[in-house]
Amino acid sequence: MNIIITGAAGFVGKHLTCRLQKDNHSILGIDVYTEGITSKIESKKADLTVPADAEGLVKEFSPDRIYHLAAQSSVSYSWQKPINTFKVNVFGGINLLDAVRKHQPRCRVLVVCTAEEYGPYQDGAIQEDYNIFPQNPYAISKAALDFYSLTCSKAYGMSVFVTRSFNHIGPGQSDRFVASDFARQIARIEQGAASPVIKVGNLAAYRDFLDVRDVSAAYCYILERGRQGRPYNVCSGKKIKIEDMLATLIGFSSARDIEVEVDPEKFRPIDIVSIYGDNGRLKKDTGWTPGYDIKTSLLDTLDWWREKVKKEERSKK
């Protein structure tokens, strides 16, 4: 099959590419920066916010499957740059779907959205039929794309599948995200590159973390086995307190007497106390099950940062 992965240079994009490569598909990786895309697949620089770029990709490559991962995915950044967040997340997605509708209507498209859309639910696991109430610019932009995607499925009969993905975790993640941020700080402390102090934001929040390798598998299962025109929670189905996650990472460290310091800059203007999902629909419709537990994911993340920081420090000498 011909497969397009947008955002192929990103965290999930790299893991998804590795998974799909095993089945010898013809894969085209799309990103605004192609340097991070593996050389083992064809890659192309494209800006989906430009309609001609999106249309050209679909016409030239004739995809059978599209995994639309490309996004501005940082909540913190979305508060700083809301207009750019909407441009990338909403208009980029609309341009891609419109191109598919015009030129490749039989293509199956996975549109990755976010659990941030649900908003301030405090008790119990969130199900897909809950009302959404996004609380930040990133979530609002993804809610718009979510609704547009589901509408395309109903209005045009397009094979569009939508995820509401909860927090990801695993090796290769940017330190803009909480678990990876902690892991990088610990790795730097172990290397003697930083004092034994970890700067943190809100440790009282509860979140649902799923390993990126399980996320990649879920995306494949949804696109091949899911029901079009309905959203799927992609999550572990369990919640963990950020404070406990930090304690687990510190427990893995060889460094001793690490102090924790609250940094006001790491707090969001609005933050949800607790959010975790129900993955029952995903399991029932597709047969997917997660394969990684949170401790394995955290240790793998820390080990990845240990190697990365070690290389960084060696290059300075």
Side-chain angles (χ1 to χ4, degrees):
M1 288 190 295
N2 289 347
I3 298 175
I4 289 178
I5 302 174
T6 72
F11 177 45
V12 181
K14 291 177 180 177
H15 285 274
L16 179 61
T17 298
C18 289
R19 180 181 181 87
L20 292 171
Q21 277 182 294
K22 298 175 183 178
D23 295 324
N24 297 315
H25 297 299
S26 178
I27 303 173
L28 175 63
I30 302 299
D31 217 303
V32 289
Y33 302 105
T34 59
E35 292 83 359
I37 301 176
T38 175
S39 60
K40 296 180 181 179
I41 66 169
E42 182 182 354
S43 64
K44 188 171 184 177
K45 182 177 179 180
D47 183 353
L48 297 178
T49 66
V50 179
D53 277 18
E55 196 162 343
L57 289 173
V58 174
K59 288 175 67 176
E60 293 169 18
F61 196 70
S62 299
D64 303 295
R65 304 286 187 271
I66 295 177
Y67 292 86
H68 180 46
L69 278 59
Q72 190 303 99
S73 58
S74 170
V75 173
S76 298
Y77 180 88
S78 77
W79 284 107
Q80 301 166 21
K81 302 287 185 179
I83 293 176
N84 187 61
T85 297
F86 272 74
K87 181 180 178 182
V88 172
N89 293 353
V90 182
F91 299 136
I94 290 174
N95 288 338
L96 183 64
L97 287 170
D98 282 359
V100 170
R101 177 176 60 84
K102 293 176 183 176
H103 304 291
Q104 199 71 7
R106 294 184 180 180
C107 177
R108 297 167 75 91
V109 184
L110 183 79
V111 178
V112 175
C113 293
T114 176
E116 288 276 350
E117 296 173 45
Y118 288 116
Y121 288 102
Q122 307 298 335
D123 298 316
I126 297 170
Q127 298 179 0
E128 291 89 347
D129 59 357
Y130 284 22
N131 292 329
I132 66 172
F133 189 47
Q135 297 285 288
N136 58 69
Y138 164 66
I140 295 168
S141 72
K142 281 296 191 177
L145 180 59
D146 184 328
F147 280 128
Y148 186 83
S149 301
L150 296 177
T151 299
C152 283
S153 178
K154 294 175 183 177
Y156 305 119
M158 295 174 65
S159 296
V160 181
F161 304 79
V162 173
T163 78
R164 292 177 184 164
S165 302
F166 288 66
N167 297 71
H168 304 342
I169 189 174
Q173 188 175 35
S174 165
D175 62 351
R176 291 186 303 159
F177 300 91
V178 62
S180 201
D181 178 29
F182 293 162
R184 179 179 182 271
Q185 292 187 69
I186 291 171
R188 284 176 51 78
I189 291 169
E190 290 178 344
Q191 282 293 312
S195 58
V197 178
I198 296 179
K199 294 186 177 182
V200 303
N202 181 14
L203 295 180
Y206 289 84
R207 293 292 183 269
D208 184 325
F209 289 91
L210 183 65
D211 192 283
V212 64
R213 292 158 289 195
D214 285 329
V215 171
S216 300
Y219 289 175
C220 294
Y221 274 62
I222 292 169
L223 197 55
E224 298 304 326
R225 304 181 186 181
R227 291 171 56 184
Q228 70 183 59
R230 69 185 325 200
Y232 286 94
N233 287 340
V234 176
C235 58
S236 70
K238 302 174 183 178
K239 63 179 180 179
I240 181 172
K241 194 174 185 180
I242 303 299
E243 183 178 27
D244 294 337
M245 186 173 68
L246 175 60
T248 299
L249 281 166
I250 292 174
F252 289 142
S253 177
S254 58
R256 293 292 176 263
D257 301 321
I258 294 178
E259 298 180 9
V260 176
E261 179 181 300
V262 173
D263 181 357
E265 294 295 321
K266 291 183 176 290
F267 279 77
R268 298 175 178 177
I270 298 176
D271 205 359
I272 300 168
V273 175
S274 177
I275 182 168
Y276 74 106
D278 183 327
N279 57 21
R281 175 184 289 183
L282 173 58
K283 290 179 175 179
K284 181 180 178 181
D285 284 4
T286 72
W288 170 90
T289 56
Y292 292 84
D293 60 63
I294 186 67
K295 288 186 176 180
T296 300
S297 301
L298 288 170
L299 182 56
D300 287 351
T301 302
L302 178 57
D303 284 341
W304 185 85
W305 273 111
R306 281 167 169 160
E307 289 301 312
K308 184 173 175 61
V309 169
K310 190 181 297 182
K311 291 178 182 178
E312 291 172 350
E313 292 305 306
R314 284 175 179 170
S315 68
K316 294 178 182 178
K317 297 179 180 178

